[in-house]
Amino acid sequence: MAATGLAEIIVSPLVHSMLDKLASPELSDFGASWGVEVQLSDLSNSLKWISSMLCLVEESQIKKHLLKIYLGDLREVSFGADIMLDDFIYEAHRLRLEDGRNQNRAMRQVRNYLHFSLNENQMLRRHEIHTVIDKIKDRLVQIGNKIEAHYQNLSVIEGKQVEIERRQQTVSLLDTRQKSSSLVVDSDVVGRFQDKSHLISLLLAEEYNGNKVPVVAIVGMGGLGKTTLAQIVYNDPEVKEHFEFRAWVCVPSDFNVERLTNEIMESITLKPCLLSLLDPNHLKLQDFVRGKRILLMLDDVWNENPSFWDALLVPFRVAAEGSRILVTTRSQKVASVMAAVEISLQGLSDQDCWTLFKGQVFTDMYCEVDPNLEEIGKKIVGRCKGLPLAVTSLGGILRGELDQREWQQVLESKIWDLDQAKIIPALGLSYYYLPAHLKLCFAYCSLFPKGYEFRKAILVPLWMAEGFILSKQVERMEVTGREYFDDLFRRSFFQCLKKSNFIERDGSTKEESVFVIHELMHDLAQFVSTGMCFRIEHDEPNHISKKARLEKDRIESPSSFLSVRHPSLSYSRQVLPDLFETKRCLRVLDLSNSSIKSLPDSIGYLKHLRYLDLSCTYISVLPKSICDLYMLQTLLLKPCPELHELPKGMGNLINLQYIVMDKELWIDHRPAGIGRLTCLKTLPQYVVGQEDGYKIGELKVMQHLEGMLRIVKLENVVNVAEAGEACLKNKQRLDNLVLEWSNGPVGLPARGEFLAVLEGLQPPVGLKSFTISCYLGLRFPNWMMRDLSSFTKLVSVKLSDCTNCTTLPPFGQLPALVSLEIVGLNEVIHLAEEFYVDGQDNGGKKGFQKLKFLTFDRMCSWEEWYGSEDGEFPCLEMLTLRQCHSLRKLPPLLPTVQAVKIEFCHSLTIFPSLPSICSLELQTFTERMSNWAHQFSSLYPLSVYSVEDSTHLSRAILRPVPE
């Protein structure tokens, strides 16, 4: 593959993004306010015309260098056009916010100019706006005309099949891979014994995990040795004996069903196939394989179209039981559409890589090597990160070479500079197969250093900030971005490194996968991003294209991505103001882990900024001008231990989706008018106030909230109608909801209003966790007492200090409930059958089908707990009872409970049968309780320990006897 062919110019996602902007209400408002509706419409039409050609043109630039030049010009003009449109959208936001503040359109001072990023004086006057739009449109039309001449030649013949054939021709041009055969030299194979054993067992077993296994797929990035492993297994004597016929086909890039069927026929019969039509070939193939146990090996498969495979594999339906299709592919999607059992191939260990390298250099992988050469050689293979193709390529360069200087030169060189290396063809074809938007996302990863540990939650907002996520809907942007990431992972561009705990934006902790990009894939990303993205290390010269995005730790050169992460870096008072004056088109600014203590007011000039990371800095106050960043999507302020104040105008950040800060800062300095943040997705805590701008109704239009939401000081909802205005039940992306009243009667409304307020705070049915705290109503609302079965995802419920309620809701109706905690409900006396079901016909099925953890704490008046001999909790594992002083009896049978804790429950006289008990902890118990506890020592290998305390009561801990 020609190396230059990989560095494509991708413009189509940017053009699609501009078309979305031109269709937005913001640009419609701008056009009406400034009198340029016609010019914006003309620009939109021109972009639609160019967009209609781009798919074919971008694909054809590899063969036509002139097209690549035109696309480069188009990209440069499009960047300018995109900045212009963002300036217009910013101005529309400013005007709308001014209207909101003035509350009277007639009072608005209509300016004769707007701030403009592309002029030296940063200003565009009213009469100049239409000229600027027309100038960019005319430039786009000029480039479009040049592209159209080539486009017409490319599309003389219309039709889908022609498009497919054209793409196949391009792939064939790029695909310089050596075609594989079934033959392999066993002595050359290193480090795949376990993979080989697993694969053979899959091919020979009749079933796998109880299911038939028609297809087995070896999946992994290019160069991992998928084909080599398949060759080893294909030629294994046990495999040869098991299958009556075997066929090996290297799937060509420009294949179709007819051609591939012919190749399968020739491989099975070992005779040339003279028929070209599909139907007779299918019939002939079907007759040949009927009743025979067949192994069909398809090497290097790319096609992800299910209908193709359905058509190709029809003849094999009549093969004998135990027939297999073995596939090698770089795409998990191929394995998925073929319903394959998947073997995910990983890199070789360092020791196996060194063994393989020795075999390439000295022809004997077990020979003794000079210690100095071995030291250098192990560093060389360390760069290969387990990729056999890289090891053999570098080993081939040094074959027979004993000069230490030559080895050192290979170690210090860049793999891309090695003419003999086969890395570019091996990995580059994977890149070519990517859709345009994924090519941009992958190339962007070159901004991060080798070995960087990627998390979706960090990378996706950066893609969003750069405009790579093609979604018109705010709520879909991150979901779409995560789908992009998953698609790249399935295509082997990312590798899963580990699982780790990660603090979400809402403050909760969850386990998330950590990913890395193989070093050679990273080299590929750097290569294909040439001219767009640069990463400057500390000691490298600063030669940056004006078109480039940049990550660096020095502050020079234009960019849209700027990261300043050096922890010891200090700034003079002038550096950052000068930066913000000159780099007004920044979209991403990462100042995390730097030593800055303040931000200049000039940060307000960065009106294109989408992503601002100030975490782990010593900033104490945010400047007021930060509230002018109307385009900002992500603001990271945690941890910022010195930050003690937020500006009052934070409600102006109308595009903000994610804000991460310490909870205390949000409580003490919450901005007024948070309801204007209609795009916000994270709001860990909302403190309700009685003043305008702080009422619970501010939550009404915040429909995109997700994760956790804690609403506190609900006693300030003095107007019952306000509770319904929060529209909680419409916020379907919330997972965890906490409703909390302040603990105490001061300033609280009448008791009757508590019920109405909670009735209006009905949560969404998609909740996973729900807590009510310090609710002082006399009973729970109707939505809790009638039917809870619609809350199908709710796994955790906690009621705390709802001291006036006498009856619990029918929590047994919750189909997914795993954990239930009832604390401080002092007025509850009985737990009757209604606790399990609502008394309606339930088909004989009892409640709490999935409950594992149950806690009752500080239930001072609770006396009776209804239970039957059948057992009401079929999955309960742990029961905790604390300070239930009046409770006399427990249910007669708790069949699955393994752990019980009972503390300060003096009145208990009737105890349950616990056939599965493993751990029993009792505190302050009576003689009856002691007798009940001791019975388990005779039934199980358990011991009972008792310790007398000062009140002459005992404490017993029942645990398994140590072996």
Side-chain angles (χ1 to χ4, degrees):
M1 181 189 302
T4 55
L6 280 176
E8 298 174 303
I9 306 295
I10 305 299
V11 196
S12 51
L14 179 58
V15 172
H16 293 154
S17 175
M18 286 193 289
L19 286 171
D20 288 344
K21 291 175 182 178
L22 284 163
S24 69
E26 288 83 7
L27 276 183
S28 178
D29 290 345
F30 177 86
S33 297
W34 296 85
V36 288
E37 301 103 312
V38 174
Q39 286 76 16
L40 290 175
S41 178
D42 290 345
L43 177 61
S44 178
N45 291 333
S46 298
L47 285 172
K48 289 176 182 177
W49 165 60
I50 290 173
S51 177
S52 67
M53 301 184 287
L54 279 180
C55 182
L56 179 57
V57 170
E58 285 178 338
E59 189 176 286
S60 303
Q61 63 181 295
I62 292 176
K63 295 184 290 184
K64 296 184 178 295
H65 185 66
L66 200 55
L67 275 180
K68 193 169 188 174
I69 294 174
Y70 296 154
L71 287 171
D73 294 340
L74 177 62
R75 182 173 66 182
E76 184 175 358
V77 177
S78 296
F79 280 151
D82 193 47
I83 290 171
M84 176 190 72
L85 294 180
D86 279 349
D87 279 344
F88 295 167
I89 291 173
Y90 182 93
E91 184 66 17
H93 288 322
R94 187 192 65 78
L95 289 175
R96 182 158 65 89
L97 289 168
E98 273 190 4
D99 287 346
R101 287 192 292 268
N102 293 334
Q103 298 181 353
N104 186 347
R105 283 182 171 270
M107 294 175 60
R108 187 182 71 196
Q109 296 293 321
V110 180
R111 299 192 308 190
N112 290 319
Y113 68 92
L114 59 88
H115 293 293
F116 194 58
S117 302
L118 302 178
N119 284 356
E120 282 190 19
N121 61 3
Q122 303 285 307
M123 185 181 296
L124 188 64
R125 299 196 177 277
R126 176 182 286 272
H127 68 274
E128 299 172 326
I129 298 176
H130 73 276
T131 304
V132 169
I133 299 173
D134 286 341
K135 185 177 180 180
I136 286 182
K137 183 207 70 175
D138 292 344
R139 183 72 180 115
L140 288 170
V141 170
Q142 290 175 8
I143 299 171
N145 286 331
K146 294 177 182 178
I147 290 174
E148 186 177 40
H150 292 269
Y151 174 78
Q152 290 174 343
N153 291 333
L154 292 169
S155 57
V156 172
I157 305 174
E158 301 290 338
K160 184 70 175 177
Q161 185 59 37
V162 174
E163 281 187 35
I164 294 173
E165 291 176 358
R166 186 184 296 110
R167 181 175 180 84
Q168 290 172 347
Q169 291 170 6
T170 306
V171 172
S172 296
L173 178 69
L174 292 171
D175 188 3
T176 59
R177 298 167 296 162
Q178 181 178 351
K179 301 300 184 261
S180 69
S181 76
S182 62
L183 301 179
V184 66
V185 180
D186 285 338
S187 60
D188 291 340
V189 179
V190 177
R192 294 298 185 197
F193 177 78
Q194 289 185 342
D195 294 315
K196 173 185 174 182
S197 299
H198 183 204
L199 183 53
I200 289 177
S201 67
L202 287 175
L203 294 180
L204 303 186
E206 292 300 324
E207 291 185 345
Y208 179 73
N209 287 342
N211 297 315
K212 298 294 183 182
V213 189
V215 183
V216 179
I218 308 172
V219 182
M221 67 179 286
L224 269 179
K226 300 182 295 296
T227 298
T228 302
L229 175 61
Q231 289 169 329
I232 300 169
V233 170
Y234 187 87
N235 289 285
D236 182 83
E238 192 175 3
V239 172
K240 285 183 177 180
E241 183 178 351
H242 183 77
F243 295 99
E244 297 177 60
F245 288 94
R246 297 172 302 136
W248 180 287
V249 178
C250 182
V251 180
S253 301
D254 56 342
F255 60 81
N256 53 40
V257 175
E258 291 85 355
R259 177 179 172 183
L260 199 52
T261 300
N262 287 359
E263 294 197 17
I264 293 171
M265 278 289 297
E266 291 180 357
S267 180
I268 288 180
T269 63
L270 301 179
K271 296 179 181 178
C273 183
L274 303 178
L275 300 174
S276 59
L277 296 177
L278 177 62
D279 185 61
N281 264 339
H282 261 184
L283 292 174
K284 186 176 180 181
L285 182 59
Q286 180 175 266
D287 289 341
F288 189 86
V289 303
R290 188 186 305 276
K292 300 182 179 71
R293 186 179 292 164
I294 303 292
L295 173 61
L296 172 61
M297 168 61 207
L298 301 175
D299 187 36
D300 210 3
V301 174
W302 294 85
N303 194 302
E304 299 174 349
N305 186 349
S307 61
F308 173 89
W309 296 111
D310 290 343
L312 179 73
L313 301 179
V314 165
F316 292 91
R317 294 175 182 173
V318 299
E321 284 283 323
S323 293
R324 293 287 186 274
I325 297 170
L326 180 59
V327 173
T328 66
T329 180
R330 305 181 197 189
S331 170
Q332 285 184 327
K333 192 171 181 180
V334 168
S336 177
V337 299
M338 297 183 76
V341 173
E342 181 182 322
I343 294 180
S344 182
L345 206 60
Q346 305 300 317
L348 296 178
S349 68
D350 290 344
Q351 184 57 48
D352 287 334
C353 284
W354 170 239
T355 303
L356 181 60
F357 183 79
K358 284 197 300 181
Q360 291 292 314
V361 177
F362 302 109
T363 69
D364 180 3
M365 64 180 64
Y366 302 107
C367 67
E368 293 292 328
V369 180
D370 177 87
N372 293 327
L373 290 181
E374 181 172 349
E375 181 181 358
I376 300 172
K378 287 187 175 180
K379 291 179 180 178
I380 291 174
V381 299
R383 289 189 62 191
C384 299
K385 298 295 182 182
L387 199 68
L389 175 63
V391 174
T392 55
S393 296
L394 292 172
I397 293 171
L398 293 172
R399 182 163 295 165
E401 181 61 65
L402 298 177
D403 188 338
Q404 184 174 323
R405 290 172 300 179
E406 294 294 325
W407 284 50
Q408 191 68 33
Q409 184 178 350
V410 169
L411 173 62
E412 295 173 356
S413 69
K414 300 236 179 200
I415 292 180
W416 290 112
D417 297 335
L418 302 175
D419 293 336
Q420 299 94 327
K422 301 175 182 178
I423 309 302
I424 293 177
L427 304 183
L429 199 61
S430 298
Y431 171 79
Y432 178 77
Y433 267 98
L434 289 177
H437 59 276
L438 292 186
K439 288 180 178 178
L440 288 181
C441 292
F442 172 66
Y444 188 78
C445 294
S446 67
L447 291 171
F448 298 88
K450 287 187 177 181
Y452 181 84
E453 296 183 358
F454 291 91
R455 289 178 170 87
K456 292 183 199 178
I458 294 175
L459 184 58
V460 169
L462 293 173
W463 286 345
M464 291 165 52
E466 294 291 354
F468 297 157
I469 310 298
L470 302 179
S471 177
K472 297 179 182 179
Q473 299 173 313
V474 171
E475 67 272 18
R476 284 288 305 170
M477 286 186 73
E478 186 177 25
V479 175
T480 303
R482 286 177 171 267
E483 290 171 355
Y484 287 4
F485 191 102
D486 292 341
D487 205 351
L488 285 169
F489 172 68
R490 284 192 295 267
R491 297 168 187 258
S492 303
F493 285 86
F494 289 104
Q495 295 173 314
C496 187
L497 177 66
K498 60 185 178 182
K499 297 274 189 179
S500 70
N501 289 330
F502 182 72
I503 299 177
E504 288 280 22
R505 303 182 191 95
D506 60 11
S508 62
T509 301
K510 65 176 289 187
E511 187 178 66
E512 186 174 61
S513 297
V514 178
F515 301 85
V516 293
I517 293 179
H518 191 282
E519 283 201 12
L520 297 179
M521 275 291 189
H522 190 278
D523 288 338
L524 176 65
Q526 289 182 309
F527 188 82
V528 300
S529 64
T530 302
M532 277 195 65
C533 303
F534 283 86
R535 175 180 175 80
I536 301 177
E537 305 295 345
H538 294 277
D539 54 351
E540 291 185 357
N542 189 4
H543 300 298
I544 305 299
S545 164
K546 290 183 179 180
K547 307 172 187 178
R549 290 178 168 86
L550 174 71
E551 172 163 346
K552 58 195 183 71
D553 50 27
R554 294 179 293 175
I555 305 174
E556 303 96 356
S557 301
S559 64
S560 72
F561 182 120
L562 179 62
S563 176
V564 186
R565 293 179 176 168
H566 202 291
S568 63
L569 200 60
S570 61
Y571 303 94
S572 68
R573 291 184 177 181
Q574 195 56 36
V575 171
L576 284 179
D578 287 349
L579 170 70
F580 298 155
E581 281 276 6
T582 56
K583 307 296 185 288
R584 296 195 179 197
C585 294
L586 279 175
R587 284 173 169 254
V588 175
L589 178 59
D590 183 352
L591 298 173
S592 62
N593 296 290
S594 63
S595 61
I596 61 171
K597 296 182 179 179
S598 63
L599 284 175
D601 288 336
S602 57
I603 193 172
Y605 295 148
L606 305 181
K607 58 184 178 181
H608 298 275
L609 199 64
R610 265 79 167 175
Y611 184 103
L612 177 59
D613 189 354
L614 300 173
S615 54
C616 299
T617 62
Y618 298 95
I619 292 174
S620 58
V621 178
L622 294 178
K624 181 180 178 181
S625 62
I626 205 171
C627 302
D628 295 333
L629 303 178
Y630 306 147
M631 299 290 197
L632 196 64
Q633 297 171 344
T634 301
L635 177 59
L636 306 180
L637 299 170
K638 184 177 182 180
C640 290
E642 302 297 323
L643 187 60
H644 62 268
E645 186 176 343
L646 294 176
K648 294 181 179 179
M650 295 281 284
N652 289 346
L653 302 179
I654 54 178
N655 279 299
L656 196 63
Q657 296 188 32
Y658 305 108
I659 182 168
V660 179
M661 66 174 68
D662 290 322
K663 181 175 64 176
E664 293 75 16
L665 182 67
W666 188 261
I667 294 174
D668 297 337
H669 300 281
R670 65 192 189 279
I674 195 175
R676 295 201 299 270
L677 306 183
T678 58
C679 297
L680 197 64
K681 295 182 178 179
T682 57
L683 183 63
Q685 182 151 306
Y686 184 72
V687 184
V688 181
Q690 296 185 15
E691 307 87 359
D692 288 342
Y694 296 99
K695 295 181 179 180
I696 197 169
E698 293 289 323
L699 298 175
K700 179 177 181 179
V701 294
M702 303 175 74
Q703 297 301 321
H704 306 307
L705 291 178
E706 60 186 35
M708 178 179 180
L709 173 60
R710 185 183 181 197
I711 306 176
V712 301
K713 295 192 176 181
L714 281 168
E715 67 273 10
N716 288 323
V717 186
V718 293
N719 183 348
V720 174
E722 276 189 54
E725 289 184 9
C727 295
L728 293 184
K729 65 180 179 181
N730 295 333
K731 304 184 193 316
Q732 297 297 331
R733 296 172 185 83
L734 286 179
D735 293 328
N736 186 345
L737 179 63
V738 178
L739 301 178
E740 185 174 311
W741 284 258
S742 295
N743 191 5
V746 178
L748 296 182
R751 282 189 174 187
E753 292 188 351
F754 276 96
L755 177 60
V757 168
L758 188 54
E759 189 75 63
L761 294 175
Q762 181 174 347
V765 294
L767 274 185
K768 296 179 181 178
S769 177
F770 184 43
T771 299
I772 299 177
S773 181
C774 299
Y775 167 70
L776 298 182
L778 298 176
R779 65 180 181 86
F780 290 103
N782 290 332
W783 59 264
M784 291 183 71
M785 299 304 293
R786 290 181 178 173
D787 185 10
L788 293 175
S789 60
S790 58
F791 291 84
T792 56
K793 299 179 181 179
L794 194 55
V795 297
S796 176
V797 172
K798 180 177 180 179
L799 300 181
S800 177
D801 296 306
C802 305
T803 55
N804 295 324
C805 293
T806 59
T807 306
L808 288 176
F811 287 129
Q813 297 175 358
L814 294 170
L817 188 64
V818 173
S819 174
L820 176 61
E821 188 172 357
I822 310 295
V823 180
L825 271 70
N826 297 328
E827 298 299 318
V828 173
I829 299 176
H830 305 281
L831 279 190
E833 187 174 358
E834 289 75 18
F835 177 57
Y836 303 96
V837 292
D838 61 355
Q840 300 173 359
D841 183 11
N842 200 30
K845 186 176 181 180
K846 297 183 178 181
F848 298 110
Q849 291 295 302
K850 295 186 178 181
L851 190 70
K852 293 184 178 181
F853 308 99
L854 178 59
T855 297
F856 293 101
D857 192 358
R858 291 191 283 114
M859 303 281 286
C860 299
S861 302
W862 182 28
E863 298 178 359
E864 293 185 329
W865 184 355
Y866 165 83
S868 68
E869 296 291 341
D870 298 331
E872 276 70 32
F873 302 94
C875 294
L876 189 64
E877 296 177 2
M878 184 171 185
L879 172 65
T880 301
L881 300 171
R882 296 190 187 96
Q883 300 186 55
C884 301
H885 304 296
S886 302
L887 183 62
R888 295 193 298 269
K889 67 176 182 178
L890 298 180
L893 175 63
L894 297 173
T896 59
V897 170
Q898 300 175 25
V900 174
K901 289 184 179 182
I902 302 177
E903 299 177 3
F904 304 106
C905 299
H906 310 291
S907 302
L908 276 175
T909 58
I910 300 177
F911 303 95
S913 172
L914 301 171
S916 302
I917 188 70
C918 295
S919 174
L920 176 62
E921 184 172 339
L922 306 175
Q923 190 167 350
T924 61
F925 56 92
T926 62
E927 182 178 351
R928 287 193 179 189
M929 197 178 295
S930 179
N931 292 335
W932 171 69
H934 278 83
Q935 68 173 302
F936 297 109
S937 62
S938 62
L939 298 175
Y940 303 98
L942 302 171
S943 294
V944 178
Y945 304 92
S946 298
V947 179
E948 295 293 332
D949 60 21
S950 60
T951 61
H952 303 290
L953 295 174
S954 300
R955 173 181 172 83
I957 301 175
L958 185 65
R959 301 193 188 282
V961 175
E963 295 181 2

